Amino acid sequence: MRKWLVLLTLLLGSAVAQSVQVTAGSPFGVNAGVRFPLVPLLLDGRVYGGANFFTGGPASLGGGADVLVSVPLTDLYAGAGLFYASGTTVSLISQGSTSGGLGARGVIGTYLNVGLPLVGIFVEVHPMLFFSGSSTFGLGGAIGVNIGF
């Protein structure tokens, strides 16, 4: 049932997406997802999935969803979301449980002005909280490419 719910979310998300995003960094190493408007020019949603090949051992797979608030008249945005990992994540301080589990993360990011039409480069910082076992704190970051509006 969980797999069908993830598939349905990705299919519906891509139908209303305003952009496709690919990132390198936290939480899963290589991430891809879609970003879609919830309230135009103010509130966006993002769903993503990824694979972690960087922290050694078997690859960790996972996915998550974020709600992002844009700061008007700037390229800044911030938000929060939940993610699920099947193993460790890409993070400083703590990488979470090797058996994976549920986590929450904050998102603080900005777009870099590169001047390309329909292509944006962004950087993000992610404070993370892992819920599996004893709760631990992690800190990650990512750099990514946004294709779309």
Side-chain angles (χ1 to χ4, degrees):
M1 178 66 180
R2 192 179 315 171
K3 291 179 185 179
W4 287 106
L5 184 59
V6 170
L7 180 63
L8 181 64
T9 301
L10 288 175
L11 290 175
L12 290 177
S14 62
V16 297
Q18 69 182 11
S19 64
V20 175
Q21 296 183 332
V22 178
T23 63
S26 167
F28 303 114
V30 178
N31 307 291
V34 293
R35 189 166 172 168
F36 49 92
L38 298 173
V39 176
L41 303 175
L42 185 61
L43 191 65
D44 290 341
R46 174 170 58 189
V47 293
Y48 59 91
N52 176 9
F53 303 106
F54 303 114
T55 55
S60 171
L61 304 175
D66 297 328
V67 175
L68 305 169
V69 177
S70 298
V71 178
L73 302 175
T74 70
D75 291 332
L76 299 172
Y77 57 92
L82 295 172
F83 64 89
Y84 180 82
S86 66
T88 59
T89 61
V90 175
S91 170
L92 301 172
I93 304 173
S94 172
Q95 296 178 337
S97 171
T98 57
S99 62
L102 187 65
R105 74 176 188 165
V107 178
I108 301 168
T110 186
Y111 280 93
L112 306 175
N113 294 319
V114 293
L116 299 172
L118 300 178
V119 176
I121 308 292
F122 60 92
V123 292
E124 295 179 344
V125 174
H126 307 132
M128 296 185 283
L129 183 62
F130 304 103
F131 298 130
S132 58
S134 61
S135 293
T136 56
F137 177 77
L139 182 64
I143 185 164
V145 176
N146 185 74
I147 301 171
F149 293 105

